[in-house]
């Protein structure tokens, strides 16, 4: 019997190990110190596309693609002489070469087995082709996803930008529309106010025509009858009567003149055509001139008392406007006062104002009428027999507005009135 025939039976543990080796899902290859394959399990042979017997005894290099194939011997030698490990005891991802020449990724863990007389190396091989493929697929999916996200983001940004631009355009349009609307509204207001002015003016003209036709009739018929009488009084002895009628004619013409003046002033004021043209002059001398004109209108026994300023008072004002104001107030004072009464014209210079008070001892203004005094065409109830247009005070107030001045009054029925005018001293020099 040969020695071989008496080989001891393998132990149970060895049987187990062998079964595990053969049945392992991962490949196991055992090589010697020269790299020659000593043992290989079915899984390892399958991974590389061989049968175990095809590779046993071959250098493990045949399972490696270039450049590892050429370098493997060197690695092995190097390790055996220096002990510096490159793969032994360390798991690694490497490439494997199948029998059909295809290369695949695998995870390789090599361990060193030191036997009593020699060294073996065991390689555990796990084919990671599927993992790699899945990884690659995931990566591809991922990058596709990323690309799509990028594309979407780009598109979204584009949409957002377009929205922002549209928004801005809309905002601009809203602004433009608003400004157009405002302009239209302004125009409408202007149109409305000019229409109202136009209406007022035409109303004023209508009222004037009715007032004038009424007021003109009396002086005109007086003139006509007086002219006829003047013609008739040809004798020397009739000279006094003749003169009386000439005076009547003069008075009537004056009356007509006053009415026309009032109307002209008012229509010029209404149309905004009155512009102040200030000039420098002595107010005292000016006042005297105006009073001289008024003196011509005085009724028998009437007189004007002027309480002026002691010294010269040079003012810088519109002379025509000022004259119009004073003539209006003074002629009212004379007109609405009885014969033999006195009209007072008092001038005072305050800190910031020039104050002119015109007082009379006339018929006064009924209390109830006083609130309407500065309204156009308004005439108090106690002046029926006295000629007038009801425009003078309205004109005075408007003229004072132009001078930035003001007017006030006090009146007592049957006793008299006082009109107080204030003009800012800014016009003084
Ligand atoms: P007119 O004198 O032409 O009627 P005014 O506008 O000057 O118009 O005056 C308006 C009205 O105010 C007068 O009709 C009159 O009733 C009243 N009035 C003005 N001044 C006086 C005055 N000094 N005394 C009394 N009444 C006056």
């Amino acid at each position: 019997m040969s020695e071989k025939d008496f080989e001891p039976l393998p132990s149970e543990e060895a049987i187990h190990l062998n079964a595990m080796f053969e049945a392992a899902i991962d490949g196991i290859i055992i090589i010697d110190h020269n790299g020659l394959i000593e043992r290989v399990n079915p899984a390892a042979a399958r991974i590389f596309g061989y049968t175990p017997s095809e590779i046993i005894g071959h250098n493990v290099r045949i399972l490696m693609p270039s450049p590892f194939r050429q370098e493997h011997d060197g690695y092995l030698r190097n390790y055996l002489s220096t002990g510096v490990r490159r793969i032994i005891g360390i798991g690694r991802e490497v490439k494997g070469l199948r029998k059909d020449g295809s290369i695949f990724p695998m995870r390789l863990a090599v361990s060193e087995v030191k036997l009593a007389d020699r060294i073996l190396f065991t390689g555990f091989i796990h084919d990671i082709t599927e993992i790699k493929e899945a990884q690659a697929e995931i990566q591809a999916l991922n990058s596709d996803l990323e690309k799509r996200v990028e594309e979407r983001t780009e598109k979204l940004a584009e949409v957002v930008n377009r929205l922002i631009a549209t928004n801005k355009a809309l905002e601009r349009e809203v602004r433009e529309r608003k400004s157009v609307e405002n302009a239209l509204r302004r125009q409408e207001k202007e149109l409305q106010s000019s229409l109202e002015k136009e209406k007022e003016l035409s109303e004023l003209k209508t009222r004037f025509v009715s007032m004038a036709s009424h007021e003109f009739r009396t002086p005109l018929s007086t003139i006509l009858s007086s002219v006829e009488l003047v013609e008739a009084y040809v004798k020397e002895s009739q000279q006094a009567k003749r003169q009386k009628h000439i005076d009547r004619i003069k008075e009537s013409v004056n009356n007509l003149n006053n009415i026309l003046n009032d109307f002209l002033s008012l229509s010029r004021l209404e149309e905004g055509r009155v512009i102040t043209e200030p000039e420098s002059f002595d107010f005292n001398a000016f006042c005297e001139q105006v009073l001289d004109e008024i003196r011509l209108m005085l009724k028998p026994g009437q007189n004007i008392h002027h309480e002026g300023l002691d010294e010269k008072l040079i003012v810088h004002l519109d002379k025509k406007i000022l004259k119009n104001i004073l003539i209006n107030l003074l002629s009212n004072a004379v007109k609405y006062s009885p014969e033999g009464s006195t009209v007072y014209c008092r001038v005072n210079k305050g800190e910031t104002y020039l104050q002119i008070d015109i007082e009379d001892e006339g018929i006064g203004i009924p209390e109830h009428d006083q609130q309407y005094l500065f309204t156009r065409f308004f005439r108090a109830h106690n002046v029926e027999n006295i000629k007038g247009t009801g425009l003078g005070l309205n004109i005075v107030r408007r003229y004072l507005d132009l001078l930035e001045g003001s007017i006030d009054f006090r009146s007592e029925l049957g006793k008299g009135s006082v009109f107080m005018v204030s003009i800012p001293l800014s016009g003084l020099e």
Side-chain angles (χ1 to χ4, degrees):
M1 252 190 170
S2 69
E3 206 183 348
K4 214 174 168 189
D5 293 334
F6 293 100
E7 223 175 310
L9 283 173
S11 67
E12 202 171 337
E13 191 184 4
I15 292 169
H16 278 163
L17 275 174
N18 195 48
M20 273 167 62
F21 181 81
E22 291 298 319
I25 294 167
D26 282 348
I28 305 168
I29 297 173
I30 299 169
I31 56 169
D32 67 7
H33 65 282
N34 288 318
L36 295 180
I37 299 170
E38 285 206 355
R39 222 181 143 180
V40 60
N41 73 342
R46 198 175 50 249
I47 288 170
F48 288 94
Y50 292 97
T51 56
S53 57
E54 278 178 306
I55 45 176
I56 288 172
H58 288 275
N59 193 301
V60 76
R61 276 195 316 248
I62 61 158
L63 305 177
M64 297 174 190
S66 294
F68 314 104
R69 174 193 281 254
Q70 291 78 7
E71 288 163 4
H72 189 256
D73 284 353
Y75 291 153
L76 212 53
R77 270 200 308 276
N78 207 31
Y79 168 66
L80 291 170
S81 61
T82 64
V84 176
R85 298 166 177 220
R86 282 185 64 95
I87 194 162
I88 295 154
I90 312 162
R92 238 198 218 187
E93 213 181 285
V94 294
K95 295 267 190 273
L97 177 68
R98 293 199 190 94
K99 186 180 172 186
D100 61 9
S102 57
I103 295 167
F104 66 96
M106 59 184 216
R107 176 121 208 117
L108 174 67
V110 180
S111 53
E112 188 182 4
V113 184
K114 283 190 174 137
L115 301 179
D117 53 342
R118 58 198 190 112
I119 292 176
L120 293 178
F121 298 99
T122 313
F124 289 86
I125 292 146
H126 183 74
D127 186 350
I128 55 174
T129 306
E130 275 172 21
I131 294 174
K132 281 282 160 189
E133 271 170 12
Q135 262 178 4
E137 208 172 312
I138 286 171
Q139 216 162 8
L141 281 175
N142 235 5
S143 70
D144 184 49
L145 206 68
E146 269 171 21
K147 216 170 110 194
R148 269 163 54 189
V149 167
E150 226 167 72
E151 273 170 21
R152 284 278 152 139
T153 313
E154 237 170 62
K155 271 197 186 132
L156 208 68
E158 226 178 271
V159 171
V160 168
N161 282 342
R162 238 183 293 139
L163 272 177
I164 289 172
T166 315
N167 223 16
K168 272 190 185 154
L170 275 174
E171 271 174 11
R172 209 173 31 243
E173 205 179 308
V174 166
R175 268 202 309 275
E176 278 167 10
R177 268 175 195 227
K178 264 192 190 151
S179 87
V180 169
E181 254 172 44
N182 285 342
L184 275 175
R185 227 172 277 145
R186 246 192 334 268
Q187 268 179 11
E188 204 182 300
K189 259 192 190 165
E190 278 166 17
L191 205 71
Q192 190 77 24
S193 90
S194 69
L195 266 175
E196 267 163 26
K197 264 206 170 145
E198 190 90 355
K199 223 172 105 187
E200 238 175 84
L201 212 62
S202 100
E203 190 198 346
L204 177 72
K205 282 174 184 161
T206 316
R207 287 186 73 171
F208 175 74
V209 169
S210 79
M211 184 269 299
S213 61
H214 181 255
E215 292 298 316
F216 276 34
R217 198 165 294 147
T218 325
L220 284 177
S221 57
T222 307
I223 291 169
L224 196 66
S225 66
S226 289
V227 164
E228 279 167 7
L229 287 168
V230 165
E231 267 179 348
Y233 297 135
V234 285
K235 289 179 199 157
E236 190 60 37
S237 59
Q238 294 171 318
Q239 186 55 39
K241 285 183 178 173
R242 205 182 145 99
Q243 189 54 50
K244 196 179 113 191
H245 285 287
I246 289 175
D247 286 347
R248 268 199 197 160
I249 293 172
K250 276 190 193 164
E251 197 196 315
S252 296
V253 169
N254 259 340
N255 237 328
L256 289 171
N257 213 25
N258 285 343
I259 297 172
L260 282 175
N261 276 343
D262 274 2
F263 182 68
L264 286 178
S265 303
L266 189 61
S267 74
R268 277 177 47 227
L269 276 163
E270 288 281 345
E271 285 162 16
R273 283 197 286 132
V274 183
I275 297 155
T276 55
E277 287 167 3
E279 56 185 297
S280 295
F281 58 91
D282 173 24
F283 187 75
N284 276 340
F286 162 81
C287 218
E288 266 311 319
Q289 275 171 18
V290 173
L291 289 175
D292 279 347
E293 273 187 46
I294 292 294
R295 278 188 185 102
L296 298 173
M297 305 177 190
L298 290 178
K299 294 173 188 168
Q302 270 189 333
N303 63 75
I304 294 184
H305 189 75
H306 179 206
E307 292 174 20
L309 296 165
D310 295 337
E311 57 207 64
K312 264 189 164 192
L313 178 65
I314 305 295
V315 294
H316 189 72
L317 289 166
D318 187 308
K319 223 173 175 175
K320 272 195 211 148
I321 292 181
L322 204 56
K323 185 175 169 184
N324 211 310
I325 293 169
L326 292 183
I327 294 267
N328 250 304
L329 294 175
L330 285 164
S331 64
N332 274 355
V334 171
K335 194 162 67 168
Y336 298 114
S337 298
E339 294 180 1
S341 63
T342 304
V343 170
Y344 299 88
C345 174
R346 299 190 188 91
V347 180
N348 280 300
K349 182 182 165 234
E351 273 286 297
T352 52
Y353 281 90
L354 174 66
Q355 183 78 32
I356 309 156
D357 295 350
I358 292 160
E359 190 171 350
D360 63 56
E361 301 166 337
I363 59 169
I365 302 155
E367 214 181 312
H368 177 261
D369 287 342
Q370 290 185 9
Q371 54 184 320
Y372 308 111
L373 215 58
F374 294 91
T375 314
R376 275 187 325 220
F377 295 109
F378 180 78
R379 306 202 70 218
H381 289 90
N382 58 339
V383 297
E384 276 141 20
N385 301 319
I386 306 166
K387 300 255 163 290
T389 59
L391 295 176
L393 286 182
N394 184 268
I395 292 169
V396 165
R397 206 193 54 194
R398 283 164 179 250
Y399 275 146
L400 278 166
D401 284 347
L402 286 175
L403 301 182
E404 291 175 1
S406 64
I407 185 164
D408 203 358
F409 72 97
R410 270 195 322 268
S411 185
E412 208 177 320
L413 196 61
K415 286 206 169 160
S417 316
V418 53
F419 284 83
M420 298 153 285
V421 168
S422 290
I423 299 167
L425 266 178
S426 55
L428 294 174
E429 280 182 349

